[in-house]
Amino acid sequence: EIVLTQSPGTLSLSPGESATLSCRASQSVSSGYLAWHQQKPGQAPRLLIYDASRRATGIPDRFSGSGSGTDFTLTINRLEPEDFAVYYCQHYRYSPFTFGPGTKVDMK
Amino acid sequence: EVQLVESGGGLVQPGGSLRLSCAASGFTFSSYEMNWVRQAPGKGLEWVSHISTSGSDRYYADSVKGRFTISRDDAKNSVYLQMNSLRAEDTAIYFCARSFAVWGQGTLVTVSS
């Protein structure tokens, strides 16, 4: 089983700043089968990034994903008020398709 | 419009059973793998189960293996989760997801006496 660790647990930032979220896997996520999801309170998750760096349909270009192997990063440039949420990384290389514990981006 | 709508949640006693349904619309359902993901109150996301396009491959989290069964009916554009021997720790919002790219709004399952 691939265990995903996310850091930091909480990121306190102001609108207009940039956010860098980290996701580390316990073993290689080969072929970049790594996704990032955003979840706001009371809402379903929303796919942001798949295959480590591909933006999902309709996702603004201020969101970008990078990384390979065991280390992955989600970068959010110029935070907008609607970007304050919880972000989860997830691998889909093989079962079990585990999620990380999440990083909360809140407003300073 | 691509849409997933879950139903079937509710209050059930420990040891009881519940069957969740997820109705899909706006896309060719038979062409997509489907998943169930749950979220306990105030907690993170937990993958529960996966079914392949043909239904021949089914996977489960260790926490539900032997108790939950995933199935699909392509003629009805639906995926199901049969949940037996329910425990308090199964209390969660259950989301269905199309290949983790499209998510439903979820249905709440509460296991309590």
Side-chain angles (χ1 to χ4, degrees):
Chain A
E1 174 178 338
I2 296 178
V3 177
L4 299 176
T5 304
Q6 292 186 242
S7 61
T10 302
L11 203 49
S12 296
L13 295 167
S14 300
E17 292 189 301
S18 292
T20 301
L21 287 65
S22 174
C23 176
R24 179 160 291 178
S26 61
Q27 54 189 281
S28 178
V29 180
S30 54
S31 303
Y33 289 150
L34 193 287
W36 291 92
H37 303 271
Q38 176 194 66
Q39 188 180 33
K40 298 177 183 178
Q43 295 186 18
R46 178 175 73 144
L47 177 68
L48 298 176
I49 301 289
Y50 66 98
D51 292 353
S53 61
R54 298 177 183 271
R55 271 188 302 276
T57 303
I59 302 304
D61 61 7
R62 63 179 183 274
F63 291 92
S64 64
S66 63
S68 64
T70 60
D71 290 297
F72 299 87
T73 300
L74 175 69
T75 301
I76 313 171
N77 289 317
R78 303 177 310 278
L79 280 162
E80 297 283 346
E82 62 267 28
D83 298 336
F84 293 92
V86 180
Y87 293 84
Y88 296 95
C89 61
Q90 181 223 355
H91 91 86
Y92 45 97
R93 176 68 181 88
Y94 49 74
S95 174
F97 305 116
T98 51
F99 289 86
T103 290
K104 183 178 182 180
V105 179
D106 66 14
M107 203 174 297
K108 191 188 301 183
Chain B
E1 179 194 5
V2 174
Q3 196 171 13
L4 298 172
V5 178
E6 301 93 337
S7 60
L11 175 63
V12 61
Q13 292 188 337
S17 297
L18 215 52
R19 188 195 194 210
L20 305 184
S21 299
C22 171
S25 59
F27 63 97
T28 305
F29 179 76
S30 59
S31 297
Y32 290 88
E33 301 173 337
M34 298 296 294
N35 293 272
W36 286 97
V37 175
R38 68 184 181 183
Q39 186 169 38
K43 302 298 184 183
L45 300 173
E46 179 189 15
W47 169 76
V48 173
S49 186
H50 165 98
I51 188 166
S52 63
T53 51
S54 63
S56 58
D57 294 324
R58 308 180 192 202
Y59 305 114
Y60 301 92
D62 284 347
S63 57
V64 306
K65 203 172 293 182
R67 301 187 298 122
F68 289 11
T69 301
I70 191 171
S71 62
R72 66 188 296 157
D73 185 338
D74 290 348
K76 294 184 177 180
N77 290 338
S78 293
V79 61
Y80 308 98
L81 188 68
Q82 177 66 43
M83 305 186 296
N84 299 330
S85 303
L86 282 161
R87 307 166 180 167
E89 54 265 35
D90 295 318
T91 294
I93 297 173
Y94 285 74
F95 298 99
C96 68
R98 188 194 83 177
S99 304
F100 303 113
V102 177
W103 295 71
Q105 284 304 302
T107 187
L108 177 62
V109 172
T110 303
V111 184
S112 174
S113 55

mmCIF file of all heavy atoms in Angstrom, chain A residues 1 37 39 42-47 88 90 92 95-97 99 101, chain B residues 35 37 39 43-47 50 59-60 95 100-101 103-105:
data_model
loop_
_atom_site.group_PDB
_atom_site.id
_atom_site.type_symbol
_atom_site.label_atom_id
_atom_site.label_comp_id
_atom_site.label_asym_id
_atom_site.label_seq_id
_atom_site.Cartn_x
_atom_site.Cartn_y
_atom_site.Cartn_z
ATOM 1 N N GLU A 1 0.829 -1.193 0.000
ATOM 2 C CA GLU A 1 0.000 0.000 0.000
ATOM 3 C C GLU A 1 0.872 1.254 0.000
ATOM 4 O O GLU A 1 1.833 1.368 0.761
ATOM 5 C CB GLU A 1 -0.897 0.005 1.235
ATOM 6 C CG GLU A 1 -1.705 1.288 1.414
ATOM 7 C CD GLU A 1 -2.630 1.244 2.624
ATOM 8 O OE1 GLU A 1 -2.976 0.136 3.090
ATOM 9 O OE2 GLU A 1 -3.016 2.332 3.097
ATOM 10 N N HIS A 37 -6.966 17.038 -5.358
ATOM 11 C CA HIS A 37 -8.371 17.409 -5.277
ATOM 12 C C HIS A 37 -8.523 18.557 -4.297
ATOM 13 O O HIS A 37 -7.813 18.641 -3.293
ATOM 14 C CB HIS A 37 -9.216 16.236 -4.764
ATOM 15 C CG HIS A 37 -9.109 14.995 -5.586
ATOM 16 N ND1 HIS A 37 -9.939 14.744 -6.671
ATOM 17 C CD2 HIS A 37 -8.281 13.927 -5.484
ATOM 18 C CE1 HIS A 37 -9.616 13.568 -7.182
ATOM 19 N NE2 HIS A 37 -8.618 13.062 -6.498
ATOM 20 N N GLN A 39 -11.314 20.539 -1.776
ATOM 21 C CA GLN A 39 -12.617 20.381 -1.145
ATOM 22 C C GLN A 39 -12.921 21.574 -0.245
ATOM 23 O O GLN A 39 -12.115 21.940 0.612
ATOM 24 C CB GLN A 39 -12.711 19.089 -0.327
ATOM 25 C CG GLN A 39 -14.130 18.810 0.170
ATOM 26 C CD GLN A 39 -14.248 17.533 0.974
ATOM 27 O OE1 GLN A 39 -13.333 17.132 1.682
ATOM 28 N NE2 GLN A 39 -15.405 16.868 0.870
ATOM 29 N N GLY A 42 -18.681 21.428 3.190
ATOM 30 C CA GLY A 42 -20.022 21.077 2.744
ATOM 31 C C GLY A 42 -20.133 20.716 1.278
ATOM 32 O O GLY A 42 -21.248 20.527 0.774
ATOM 33 N N GLN A 43 -19.001 20.640 0.587
ATOM 34 C CA GLN A 43 -19.024 20.324 -0.842
ATOM 35 C C GLN A 43 -18.284 19.024 -1.127
ATOM 36 O O GLN A 43 -17.482 18.554 -0.329
ATOM 37 C CB GLN A 43 -18.382 21.458 -1.648
ATOM 38 C CG GLN A 43 -19.135 22.768 -1.577
ATOM 39 C CD GLN A 43 -18.542 23.805 -2.515
ATOM 40 O OE1 GLN A 43 -17.798 23.493 -3.447
ATOM 41 N NE2 GLN A 43 -18.889 25.072 -2.281
ATOM 42 N N ALA A 44 -18.563 18.473 -2.292
ATOM 43 C CA ALA A 44 -17.819 17.314 -2.764
ATOM 44 C C ALA A 44 -16.423 17.745 -3.198
ATOM 45 O O ALA A 44 -16.193 18.914 -3.515
ATOM 46 C CB ALA A 44 -18.557 16.682 -3.943
ATOM 47 N N PRO A 45 -15.493 16.826 -3.211
ATOM 48 C CA PRO A 45 -14.167 17.148 -3.760
ATOM 49 C C PRO A 45 -14.265 17.518 -5.237
ATOM 50 O O PRO A 45 -15.229 17.145 -5.927
ATOM 51 C CB PRO A 45 -13.377 15.847 -3.567
ATOM 52 C CG PRO A 45 -14.104 15.106 -2.504
ATOM 53 C CD PRO A 45 -15.546 15.454 -2.701
ATOM 54 N N ARG A 46 -13.260 18.237 -5.704
ATOM 55 C CA ARG A 46 -13.176 18.605 -7.116
ATOM 56 C C ARG A 46 -11.768 18.311 -7.601
ATOM 57 O O ARG A 46 -10.789 18.712 -6.954
ATOM 58 C CB ARG A 46 -13.491 20.094 -7.309
ATOM 59 C CG ARG A 46 -13.364 20.567 -8.755
ATOM 60 C CD ARG A 46 -13.795 21.996 -8.948
ATOM 61 N NE ARG A 46 -12.863 22.987 -8.407
ATOM 62 C CZ ARG A 46 -12.604 24.168 -8.951
ATOM 63 N NH1 ARG A 46 -13.195 24.499 -10.093
ATOM 64 N NH2 ARG A 46 -11.784 25.022 -8.370
ATOM 65 N N LEU A 47 -11.668 17.597 -8.725
ATOM 66 C CA LEU A 47 -10.362 17.280 -9.281
ATOM 67 C C LEU A 47 -9.713 18.528 -9.846
ATOM 68 O O LEU A 47 -10.307 19.233 -10.658
ATOM 69 C CB LEU A 47 -10.495 16.218 -10.388
ATOM 70 C CG LEU A 47 -9.208 15.847 -11.112
ATOM 71 C CD1 LEU A 47 -8.259 15.115 -10.172
ATOM 72 C CD2 LEU A 47 -9.510 15.001 -12.349
ATOM 73 N N TYR A 88 -6.244 17.643 -1.156
ATOM 74 C CA TYR A 88 -5.822 16.260 -0.947
ATOM 75 C C TYR A 88 -5.055 15.754 -2.159
ATOM 76 O O TYR A 88 -5.480 15.949 -3.297
ATOM 77 C CB TYR A 88 -7.032 15.341 -0.772
ATOM 78 C CG TYR A 88 -7.885 15.623 0.446
ATOM 79 C CD1 TYR A 88 -9.010 16.435 0.364
ATOM 80 C CD2 TYR A 88 -7.580 15.045 1.674
ATOM 81 C CE1 TYR A 88 -9.802 16.685 1.481
ATOM 82 C CE2 TYR A 88 -8.367 15.281 2.801
ATOM 83 C CZ TYR A 88 -9.465 16.106 2.692
ATOM 84 O OH TYR A 88 -10.247 16.337 3.797
ATOM 85 N N GLN A 90 -3.747 12.213 -4.033
ATOM 86 C CA GLN A 90 -4.260 10.845 -4.118
ATOM 87 C C GLN A 90 -3.521 10.108 -5.228
ATOM 88 O O GLN A 90 -3.257 10.686 -6.291
ATOM 89 C CB GLN A 90 -5.757 10.849 -4.454
ATOM 90 C CG GLN A 90 -6.397 9.485 -4.553
ATOM 91 C CD GLN A 90 -7.337 9.351 -5.724
ATOM 92 O OE1 GLN A 90 -7.620 10.312 -6.449
ATOM 93 N NE2 GLN A 90 -7.856 8.158 -5.937
ATOM 94 N N TYR A 92 -3.456 6.794 -7.892
ATOM 95 C CA TYR A 92 -4.352 5.805 -8.515
ATOM 96 C C TYR A 92 -3.531 4.815 -9.325
ATOM 97 O O TYR A 92 -3.963 4.304 -10.363
ATOM 98 C CB TYR A 92 -5.435 6.491 -9.357
ATOM 99 C CG TYR A 92 -4.961 7.601 -10.265
ATOM 100 C CD1 TYR A 92 -4.694 7.366 -11.605
ATOM 101 C CD2 TYR A 92 -4.795 8.895 -9.773
ATOM 102 C CE1 TYR A 92 -4.265 8.384 -12.436
ATOM 103 C CE2 TYR A 92 -4.362 9.913 -10.589
ATOM 104 C CZ TYR A 92 -4.097 9.657 -11.917
ATOM 105 O OH TYR A 92 -3.673 10.672 -12.737
ATOM 106 N N SER A 95 -4.679 -0.462 -6.520
ATOM 107 C CA SER A 95 -5.452 -0.542 -5.292
ATOM 108 C C SER A 95 -4.534 -0.909 -4.121
ATOM 109 O O SER A 95 -3.651 -1.753 -4.274
ATOM 110 C CB SER A 95 -6.531 -1.610 -5.446
ATOM 111 O OG SER A 95 -7.220 -1.823 -4.230
ATOM 112 N N PRO A 96 -4.751 -0.293 -2.939
ATOM 113 C CA PRO A 96 -5.771 0.703 -2.604
ATOM 114 C C PRO A 96 -5.382 2.109 -3.058
ATOM 115 O O PRO A 96 -4.227 2.507 -2.941
ATOM 116 C CB PRO A 96 -5.845 0.621 -1.073
ATOM 117 C CG PRO A 96 -4.482 0.175 -0.644
ATOM 118 C CD PRO A 96 -3.999 -0.742 -1.733
ATOM 119 N N PHE A 97 -6.371 2.818 -3.564
ATOM 120 C CA PHE A 97 -6.142 4.149 -4.137
ATOM 121 C C PHE A 97 -6.176 5.197 -3.029
ATOM 122 O O PHE A 97 -7.138 5.925 -2.883
ATOM 123 C CB PHE A 97 -7.212 4.434 -5.190
ATOM 124 C CG PHE A 97 -7.293 3.381 -6.264
ATOM 125 C CD1 PHE A 97 -8.444 2.605 -6.408
ATOM 126 C CD2 PHE A 97 -6.238 3.148 -7.118
ATOM 127 C CE1 PHE A 97 -8.529 1.631 -7.389
ATOM 128 C CE2 PHE A 97 -6.317 2.174 -8.116
ATOM 129 C CZ PHE A 97 -7.461 1.411 -8.242
ATOM 130 N N PHE A 99 -5.597 8.315 -0.284
ATOM 131 C CA PHE A 99 -5.532 9.766 -0.228
ATOM 132 C C PHE A 99 -4.544 10.174 0.865
ATOM 133 O O PHE A 99 -4.361 9.457 1.853
ATOM 134 C CB PHE A 99 -6.902 10.359 0.136
ATOM 135 C CG PHE A 99 -7.934 10.251 -0.946
ATOM 136 C CD1 PHE A 99 -8.704 9.100 -1.079
ATOM 137 C CD2 PHE A 99 -8.151 11.300 -1.828
ATOM 138 C CE1 PHE A 99 -9.663 8.994 -2.074
ATOM 139 C CE2 PHE A 99 -9.118 11.209 -2.824
ATOM 140 C CZ PHE A 99 -9.869 10.057 -2.948
ATOM 141 N N PRO A 101 -3.624 12.969 3.945
ATOM 142 C CA PRO A 101 -4.468 13.516 5.020
ATOM 143 C C PRO A 101 -4.991 14.913 4.752
ATOM 144 O O PRO A 101 -5.883 15.384 5.465
ATOM 145 C CB PRO A 101 -3.545 13.496 6.229
ATOM 146 C CG PRO A 101 -2.178 13.604 5.649
ATOM 147 C CD PRO A 101 -2.216 12.869 4.347
ATOM 148 N N ASN B 35 -15.908 4.526 -8.599
ATOM 149 C CA ASN B 35 -15.389 4.359 -7.250
ATOM 150 C C ASN B 35 -16.382 4.884 -6.211
ATOM 151 O O ASN B 35 -17.211 5.733 -6.505
ATOM 152 C CB ASN B 35 -14.084 5.144 -7.074
ATOM 153 C CG ASN B 35 -12.952 4.591 -7.897
ATOM 154 O OD1 ASN B 35 -12.236 3.705 -7.464
ATOM 155 N ND2 ASN B 35 -12.795 5.130 -9.110
ATOM 156 N N VAL B 37 -15.994 6.625 -2.384
ATOM 157 C CA VAL B 37 -15.069 7.259 -1.444
ATOM 158 C C VAL B 37 -15.907 7.779 -0.285
ATOM 159 O O VAL B 37 -17.013 8.280 -0.505
ATOM 160 C CB VAL B 37 -14.306 8.425 -2.116
ATOM 161 C CG1 VAL B 37 -13.429 9.164 -1.110
ATOM 162 C CG2 VAL B 37 -13.480 7.925 -3.296
ATOM 163 N N GLN B 39 -16.150 9.917 3.688
ATOM 164 C CA GLN B 39 -15.551 10.939 4.539
ATOM 165 C C GLN B 39 -16.288 10.961 5.865
ATOM 166 O O GLN B 39 -17.453 11.380 5.926
ATOM 167 C CB GLN B 39 -15.610 12.312 3.861
ATOM 168 C CG GLN B 39 -14.883 13.403 4.610
ATOM 169 C CD GLN B 39 -14.736 14.662 3.766
ATOM 170 O OE1 GLN B 39 -15.635 15.036 3.012
ATOM 171 N NE2 GLN B 39 -13.588 15.308 3.864
ATOM 172 N N LYS B 43 -13.295 14.457 9.094
ATOM 173 C CA LYS B 43 -12.070 13.732 8.713
ATOM 174 C C LYS B 43 -11.776 13.889 7.229
ATOM 175 O O LYS B 43 -12.494 14.566 6.495
ATOM 176 C CB LYS B 43 -12.238 12.240 9.057
ATOM 177 C CG LYS B 43 -12.528 11.976 10.523
ATOM 178 C CD LYS B 43 -11.394 12.429 11.427
ATOM 179 C CE LYS B 43 -11.670 12.060 12.877
ATOM 180 N NZ LYS B 43 -10.602 12.549 13.790
ATOM 181 N N GLY B 44 -10.704 13.226 6.794
ATOM 182 C CA GLY B 44 -10.303 13.291 5.407
ATOM 183 C C GLY B 44 -11.016 12.269 4.540
ATOM 184 O O GLY B 44 -11.941 11.571 4.976
ATOM 185 N N LEU B 45 -10.576 12.185 3.294
ATOM 186 C CA LEU B 45 -11.191 11.282 2.327
ATOM 187 C C LEU B 45 -10.587 9.880 2.451
ATOM 188 O O LEU B 45 -9.378 9.732 2.634
ATOM 189 C CB LEU B 45 -10.957 11.809 0.911
ATOM 190 C CG LEU B 45 -11.518 13.202 0.618
ATOM 191 C CD1 LEU B 45 -11.060 13.677 -0.755
ATOM 192 C CD2 LEU B 45 -13.041 13.194 0.695
ATOM 193 N N GLU B 46 -11.437 8.873 2.338
ATOM 194 C CA GLU B 46 -10.999 7.479 2.390
ATOM 195 C C GLU B 46 -11.590 6.735 1.197
ATOM 196 O O GLU B 46 -12.818 6.627 1.081
ATOM 197 C CB GLU B 46 -11.430 6.803 3.688
ATOM 198 C CG GLU B 46 -11.006 5.339 3.768
ATOM 199 C CD GLU B 46 -11.600 4.597 4.953
ATOM 200 O OE1 GLU B 46 -12.556 5.101 5.567
ATOM 201 O OE2 GLU B 46 -11.115 3.492 5.268
ATOM 202 N N TRP B 47 -10.741 6.206 0.328
ATOM 203 C CA TRP B 47 -11.229 5.385 -0.785
ATOM 204 C C TRP B 47 -11.832 4.099 -0.214
ATOM 205 O O TRP B 47 -11.270 3.491 0.699
ATOM 206 C CB TRP B 47 -10.084 5.071 -1.737
ATOM 207 C CG TRP B 47 -10.451 4.034 -2.742
ATOM 208 C CD1 TRP B 47 -11.236 4.190 -3.859
ATOM 209 C CD2 TRP B 47 -10.095 2.650 -2.706
ATOM 210 N NE1 TRP B 47 -11.368 2.995 -4.515
ATOM 211 C CE2 TRP B 47 -10.687 2.037 -3.828
ATOM 212 C CE3 TRP B 47 -9.333 1.871 -1.835
ATOM 213 C CZ2 TRP B 47 -10.539 0.675 -4.116
ATOM 214 C CZ3 TRP B 47 -9.179 0.525 -2.096
ATOM 215 C CH2 TRP B 47 -9.778 -0.059 -3.223
ATOM 216 N N HIS B 50 -13.723 0.123 -5.801
ATOM 217 C CA HIS B 50 -13.540 0.425 -7.225
ATOM 218 C C HIS B 50 -14.131 -0.713 -8.039
ATOM 219 O O HIS B 50 -14.017 -1.882 -7.661
ATOM 220 C CB HIS B 50 -12.052 0.561 -7.513
ATOM 221 C CG HIS B 50 -11.683 0.525 -8.969
ATOM 222 N ND1 HIS B 50 -11.454 1.661 -9.711
ATOM 223 C CD2 HIS B 50 -11.494 -0.516 -9.817
ATOM 224 C CE1 HIS B 50 -11.151 1.313 -10.955
ATOM 225 N NE2 HIS B 50 -11.150 -0.004 -11.039
ATOM 226 N N TYR B 59 -12.247 -3.901 -6.329
ATOM 227 C CA TYR B 59 -11.270 -3.757 -5.263
ATOM 228 C C TYR B 59 -11.926 -3.077 -4.063
ATOM 229 O O TYR B 59 -12.855 -2.281 -4.217
ATOM 230 C CB TYR B 59 -10.076 -2.924 -5.730
ATOM 231 C CG TYR B 59 -9.410 -3.442 -6.976
ATOM 232 C CD1 TYR B 59 -9.450 -2.714 -8.155
ATOM 233 C CD2 TYR B 59 -8.738 -4.664 -6.979
ATOM 234 C CE1 TYR B 59 -8.839 -3.173 -9.306
ATOM 235 C CE2 TYR B 59 -8.130 -5.138 -8.127
ATOM 236 C CZ TYR B 59 -8.192 -4.384 -9.289
ATOM 237 O OH TYR B 59 -7.591 -4.862 -10.431
ATOM 238 N N TYR B 60 -11.385 -3.399 -2.893
ATOM 239 C CA TYR B 60 -11.951 -2.854 -1.661
ATOM 240 C C TYR B 60 -10.849 -2.427 -0.694
ATOM 241 O O TYR B 60 -9.779 -3.031 -0.640
ATOM 242 C CB TYR B 60 -12.815 -3.913 -0.961
ATOM 243 C CG TYR B 60 -13.957 -4.415 -1.806
ATOM 244 C CD1 TYR B 60 -13.822 -5.536 -2.613
ATOM 245 C CD2 TYR B 60 -15.190 -3.752 -1.804
ATOM 246 C CE1 TYR B 60 -14.868 -5.995 -3.395
ATOM 247 C CE2 TYR B 60 -16.248 -4.204 -2.589
ATOM 248 C CZ TYR B 60 -16.068 -5.326 -3.389
ATOM 249 O OH TYR B 60 -17.116 -5.771 -4.156
ATOM 250 N N PHE B 95 -19.384 9.225 -1.222
ATOM 251 C CA PHE B 95 -19.390 9.843 -2.546
ATOM 252 C C PHE B 95 -19.138 8.763 -3.601
ATOM 253 O O PHE B 95 -18.287 7.892 -3.401
ATOM 254 C CB PHE B 95 -18.253 10.860 -2.678
ATOM 255 C CG PHE B 95 -18.307 12.021 -1.725
ATOM 256 C CD1 PHE B 95 -17.545 12.021 -0.569
ATOM 257 C CD2 PHE B 95 -19.081 13.137 -2.012
ATOM 258 C CE1 PHE B 95 -17.561 13.098 0.305
ATOM 259 C CE2 PHE B 95 -19.117 14.219 -1.142
ATOM 260 C CZ PHE B 95 -18.357 14.190 0.018
ATOM 261 N N PHE B 100 -12.449 9.243 -10.342
ATOM 262 C CA PHE B 100 -11.977 10.319 -9.466
ATOM 263 C C PHE B 100 -11.993 11.690 -10.138
ATOM 264 O O PHE B 100 -11.503 12.665 -9.563
ATOM 265 C CB PHE B 100 -10.555 10.047 -8.927
ATOM 266 C CG PHE B 100 -10.423 8.756 -8.191
ATOM 267 C CD1 PHE B 100 -9.640 7.731 -8.711
ATOM 268 C CD2 PHE B 100 -11.094 8.538 -7.004
ATOM 269 C CE1 PHE B 100 -9.523 6.510 -8.041
ATOM 270 C CE2 PHE B 100 -10.991 7.329 -6.320
ATOM 271 C CZ PHE B 100 -10.203 6.318 -6.842
ATOM 272 N N ALA B 101 -12.562 11.804 -11.319
ATOM 273 C CA ALA B 101 -12.586 13.071 -12.027
ATOM 274 C C ALA B 101 -13.903 13.810 -11.862
ATOM 275 O O ALA B 101 -13.946 15.035 -11.944
ATOM 276 C CB ALA B 101 -12.303 12.854 -13.509
ATOM 277 N N TRP B 103 -17.405 13.898 -9.341
ATOM 278 C CA TRP B 103 -17.884 13.444 -8.036
ATOM 279 C C TRP B 103 -19.362 13.783 -7.854
ATOM 280 O O TRP B 103 -19.825 14.826 -8.315
ATOM 281 C CB TRP B 103 -17.098 14.135 -6.913
ATOM 282 C CG TRP B 103 -15.645 13.805 -6.853
ATOM 283 C CD1 TRP B 103 -14.671 14.202 -7.724
ATOM 284 C CD2 TRP B 103 -14.991 13.031 -5.856
ATOM 285 N NE1 TRP B 103 -13.449 13.720 -7.323
ATOM 286 C CE2 TRP B 103 -13.607 12.997 -6.176
ATOM 287 C CE3 TRP B 103 -15.426 12.369 -4.698
ATOM 288 C CZ2 TRP B 103 -12.667 12.311 -5.389
ATOM 289 C CZ3 TRP B 103 -14.495 11.697 -3.915
ATOM 290 C CH2 TRP B 103 -13.128 11.670 -4.274
ATOM 291 N N GLY B 104 -20.067 12.908 -7.166
ATOM 292 C CA GLY B 104 -21.415 13.234 -6.736
ATOM 293 C C GLY B 104 -21.369 14.069 -5.480
ATOM 294 O O GLY B 104 -20.295 14.341 -4.933
ATOM 295 N N GLN B 105 -22.548 14.486 -5.002
ATOM 296 C CA GLN B 105 -22.624 15.320 -3.806
ATOM 297 C C GLN B 105 -22.615 14.515 -2.521
ATOM 298 O O GLN B 105 -22.441 15.076 -1.439
ATOM 299 C CB GLN B 105 -23.880 16.197 -3.865
ATOM 300 C CG GLN B 105 -23.737 17.361 -4.824
ATOM 301 C CD GLN B 105 -22.540 18.224 -4.485
ATOM 302 O OE1 GLN B 105 -22.408 18.758 -3.390
ATOM 303 N NE2 GLN B 105 -21.618 18.376 -5.447
#
